[in-house]
Amino acid sequence: MAARHHLIDRAPPAVWKILEDERLYGTWVVGTSEFRREQGDWPELGSSITYSVRLGPKEFTGRTVVRRIERPRTLEAEAGPLGPARIALDIRPWGDKTLVTVDEHPLRGVGGTLHNVLLDSLIQIRHRTMLARLARLTERRTPAETSEGAPGDRRRNSGG
């Protein structure tokens, strides 16, 4: 099992806005390209998208299916071009920021058969990049909130 966390400098609703936009999936999920909606309205329970994954000269088709969603806290999906894997995103407020934890482990197929410490290390590297991309995308598309709560307001309280 590979779990990794990242602190995003925005509130949870901003992170959810990115997670719920299927058009942005390939922007923050490492290794995916040419994705499209397959079934349902992303990320509703049972909805799915397909995408391409390139591993060296080989190209595989992957599919991600939402298995559990509890807004604004949990999004779990089954995905993987090498066999199904459980991928869970846990979204938690952390002060005025968001702590995102991703937990992934292969369930069956080639990924499940070959699951070992080396594979977990590779997944960790992928997660580090994926969460950094999610943070950059969220922070770029969402204005920062100040302590007064007004987006982009940089004024300080002078105390009187």
Side-chain angles (χ1 to χ4, degrees):
M1 175 169 69
R4 183 134 194 113
H5 61 274
H6 192 96
L7 192 61
I8 298 178
D9 191 18
R10 296 296 183 269
V15 176
W16 271 100
K17 188 174 183 177
I18 300 301
L19 295 177
E20 291 180 330
D21 190 340
E22 73 210 36
R23 298 167 300 168
L24 298 175
Y25 187 84
T27 306
W28 63 273
V29 177
V30 174
T32 61
S33 64
E34 299 176 26
F35 63 95
R36 66 177 175 81
R37 182 184 299 188
E38 182 183 62
Q39 180 178 327
D41 291 324
W42 184 264
E44 297 304 321
L45 188 64
S47 64
S48 61
I49 56 177
T50 59
Y51 51 87
S52 298
V53 175
R54 201 155 193 71
L55 296 173
K58 299 275 187 191
E59 185 171 282
F60 301 90
T61 298
R63 180 175 186 245
T64 298
V65 181
V66 175
R67 296 296 184 203
R68 181 173 167 234
I69 182 168
E70 293 178 15
R71 283 181 183 90
R73 177 126 155 91
T74 303
L75 179 61
E76 290 187 22
E78 181 179 311
L82 301 177
R86 175 188 169 267
I87 302 169
L89 291 166
D90 182 64
I91 303 2
R92 294 177 188 238
W94 196 261
D96 60 349
K97 298 175 179 27
T98 303
L99 181 62
V100 178
T101 303
V102 62
D103 174 4
E104 177 177 353
H105 62 274
L107 300 172
R108 295 186 308 274
V110 174
T113 302
L114 298 177
H115 188 216
N116 58 34
V117 174
L118 177 60
L119 182 58
D120 274 351
S121 297
L122 293 173
I123 292 171
Q124 285 283 349
I125 293 168
R126 178 176 177 259
H127 286 173
R128 180 182 307 135
T129 303
M130 185 173 77
L131 290 173
R133 286 181 179 183
L134 179 61
R136 279 192 306 272
L137 186 60
T138 303
E139 292 164 7
R140 189 172 60 235
R141 289 180 164 254
T142 310
E145 298 265 336
T146 64
S147 59
E148 290 83 25
D153 187 356
R154 301 280 182 219
R155 290 175 290 167
R156 300 240 182 234
N157 183 352
S158 61

